[in-house]
Amino acid sequence: MTTPWPTPSTAVRELIRRGAEIMLDPSADWLEELYTTTLARLRAHAPVDDPALAASMRTGSAAILRDWAEFNVRDPGRRVPPNLAPETLHIARDLARRGMDPGALDAYRLGQSVAWRRWMRLCFDLTSDRAELAELLDVSERSISAYIDDTIDAIGQQLDRERVRLGGAVDRLSAVTLLLEGAPIHRARAEMQLGYGLTGPHTAAIVWSSTGTDAGALESVAEALTRVSDAARRLTIVAGSAVLWVWLPVDTAVTTDHVTERLDPDTDVHVAIGRPGRDLDGFRRSHLDALTAQRMLARLTSPQRVAHFDDVALVALMTGDPTRADEFVRDTLGALLHADPETRRTLTTYLREQCNTSRTAERLFTHRNTVIRRLDQAKALLPRPLATNPIAVAAALEVLHWRGTPPGEPKEPPR
């Protein structure tokens, strides 16, 4: 027999409503704690450094918090139905495509603990009446626990349905995951499951969207990659609802400019490309290269949409700690950080051309005198003479290129 849901007093219903209104506009540090805690728990089940999965979990966590608050603004104290919004079901699809079971959803229970601690502090601000506070905490704890339990159960059921529906796709992802982890899987068996030969050359790429672009847009980019690389075929693994892992049986570097030209400016699709490799080791290493480039773009919220590992290896290494990287850029570039983009671009090209002004002018299609004038302006803005640390300046400019905006300035979401 179902236990009737208790009806709180009128006074407590009003307190819940007021608190829920405040929760509809949570502080940035509250949300960050919620995201960080949830993703930390997921680490035991999934590669949380995967930007697409991390973005899905962040969006889902925010949706769950917002849904509980909105319901309690409308009808405070009533039992909140489970959240089956598109953002929430998106998580089930992502986890299912990675071959995970509902145990991964326990990550939301740690998120629940964060929300509960914040809500308790809010409750103490809402009333000083001991009787009201006791009832408010009791009703709130019951409401939040039931809501999270019901939501996790609903997502878990959807996850099971997705796993059944995906069938062979999950098996293919599992086979690739074993190969990438170096597990003892027989090569011939893996090739049969994947329909792709593991001997010979391989160039890996990751195609993804952080905002849930439809699968057709991702597939279109994967096909463009195949064409520009002159590959006769490709292996494509659906690794999430908005991410594809791609392998091309070629050993020539895929040109990023050619890929960029084929990206639809109206979609949010990004591409990370690894170095070519051979046989099983190359299959694995090329993917890990692409993963490094993908993580760097996501970590820096870079405006660049295509990255090749060869172009970002140094920046990826330097920006493992984004805060320290920002400090390095500020300290190294000084006032040049806020100079006009052409001045910085001229200095960057000059350093890449081994400090040769004639080649710099040719590369920029600019008169040599203009290049010299811009270089003089750039040098005057640096905190130290360029001749004393050209390597550091070149590295800082490279980080700034991929970062998109100077540290401290607001960043637009990457496209």
Side-chain angles (χ1 to χ4, degrees):
M1 180 177 179
T2 304
T3 304
W5 189 259
T7 302
S9 65
T10 301
V12 167
R13 282 171 53 85
E14 176 59 20
L15 292 173
I16 293 174
R17 184 190 63 76
R18 284 164 48 195
E21 288 178 339
I22 295 173
M23 282 189 69
L24 284 176
D25 186 24
S27 64
D29 67 307
W30 182 350
L31 284 176
E32 191 57 37
E33 183 184 7
L34 178 67
Y35 299 149
T36 302
T37 304
T38 302
L39 292 176
R41 179 64 182 87
L42 190 66
R43 193 178 299 277
H45 298 270
V48 296
D49 286 333
D50 176 344
L53 179 58
S56 178
M57 292 297 291
R58 289 173 73 95
T59 302
S61 297
I64 289 173
L65 177 66
R66 184 179 63 248
D67 182 59
W68 185 88
E70 288 177 344
F71 187 91
N72 276 286
V73 168
R74 296 193 305 271
D75 199 351
R78 285 272 308 278
R79 182 166 186 157
V80 185
N83 186 318
L84 295 178
E87 302 99 320
T88 310
L89 296 183
H90 187 87
I91 295 165
R93 290 193 292 271
D94 263 357
L95 295 179
R97 285 184 170 95
R98 286 164 173 79
M100 284 174 273
D101 59 38
L105 297 173
D106 285 343
Y108 283 120
R109 300 207 184 277
L110 285 186
Q112 174 187 343
S113 298
V114 172
W116 173 242
R117 288 197 304 272
R118 296 279 183 160
W119 176 259
M120 277 198 299
R121 295 175 200 169
L122 183 56
C123 289
F124 278 90
D125 291 336
L126 290 172
T127 182
S128 58
D129 184 291
R130 293 176 62 116
E132 285 184 349
L133 181 60
E135 183 185 359
L136 174 59
L137 291 173
D138 180 65
V139 171
S140 301
E141 191 280 331
R142 183 184 295 111
S143 174
I144 292 173
S145 295
Y147 171 66
I148 294 297
D149 287 345
D150 293 347
T151 297
I152 288 177
D153 184 60
I155 298 175
Q157 293 179 32
Q158 179 66 22
L159 197 159
D160 286 337
R161 288 193 289 270
E162 287 287 335
R163 284 167 59 87
V164 171
R165 184 180 67 82
L166 291 169
V170 172
D171 293 338
R172 282 159 55 85
L173 176 59
S174 297
V176 164
T177 300
L178 289 173
L179 291 172
L180 295 176
E181 292 175 348
I185 178 173
H186 196 278
R187 182 178 59 80
R189 177 188 170 198
E191 289 180 335
M192 183 176 65
Q193 280 187 281
L194 300 175
Y196 179 85
L198 296 172
T199 56
H202 308 285
T203 296
I206 299 175
V207 181
W208 83 99
S209 164
S210 57
T211 58
T213 297
D214 68 88
L218 299 178
E219 177 63 25
S220 176
V221 172
E223 182 58 28
L225 274 170
T226 307
R227 290 197 299 271
V228 300
S229 66
D230 293 326
R233 55 194 171 84
R234 61 181 158 97
L235 168 63
T236 303
I237 299 295
V238 180
S241 59
V243 57
L244 300 178
W245 292 349
V246 178
W247 281 266
L248 304 166
V250 296
D251 56 7
T252 53
V254 178
T255 305
T256 55
D257 288 345
H258 290 165
V259 178
T260 302
E261 292 170 359
R262 288 162 173 76
L263 292 179
D264 185 341
D266 295 326
T267 63
D268 174 37
V269 179
H270 299 75
V271 183
I273 306 168
R275 293 170 294 179
R278 294 192 66 83
D279 302 328
L280 183 53
D281 284 343
F283 178 91
R284 183 183 300 116
R285 193 197 69 182
S286 188
H287 176 78
L288 295 178
D289 284 350
L291 189 59
T292 296
Q294 181 198 26
R295 289 171 178 172
M296 189 216 70
L297 289 180
R299 183 168 61 244
L300 298 181
T301 57
S302 175
Q304 308 299 329
R305 297 179 62 188
V306 182
H308 194 291
F309 178 83
D310 281 339
D311 297 328
V312 304
L314 176 62
V315 176
L317 186 64
M318 291 178 62
T319 57
D321 183 337
T323 300
R324 294 292 298 274
D326 285 352
E327 290 176 358
F328 169 76
V329 170
R330 282 193 295 265
D331 293 346
T332 304
L333 298 184
L336 180 62
L337 194 61
H338 303 289
D340 66 274
E342 279 303 320
T343 299
R344 294 200 302 262
R345 180 166 172 255
T346 299
L347 180 56
T348 299
T349 306
Y350 175 71
L351 292 169
R352 288 176 178 171
E353 293 298 327
Q354 301 177 353
C355 301
N356 184 300
T357 53
S358 296
R359 288 204 301 268
T360 301
E362 291 176 6
R363 178 64 63 89
L364 295 175
F365 302 102
T366 304
H367 195 280
R368 185 171 179 273
N369 290 342
T370 302
V371 168
I372 293 173
R373 187 183 73 251
R374 289 176 183 168
L375 289 174
D376 288 341
Q377 293 171 346
K379 292 175 183 178
L381 295 172
L382 289 170
R384 295 172 55 193
L386 177 64
T388 65
N389 64 339
I391 295 176
V393 171
L397 287 169
E398 200 65 29
V399 171
L400 184 60
H401 166 75
W402 289 99
R403 195 183 187 284
T405 57
E409 292 188 8
K411 295 176 71 68
E412 295 183 1
R415 287 195 56 81

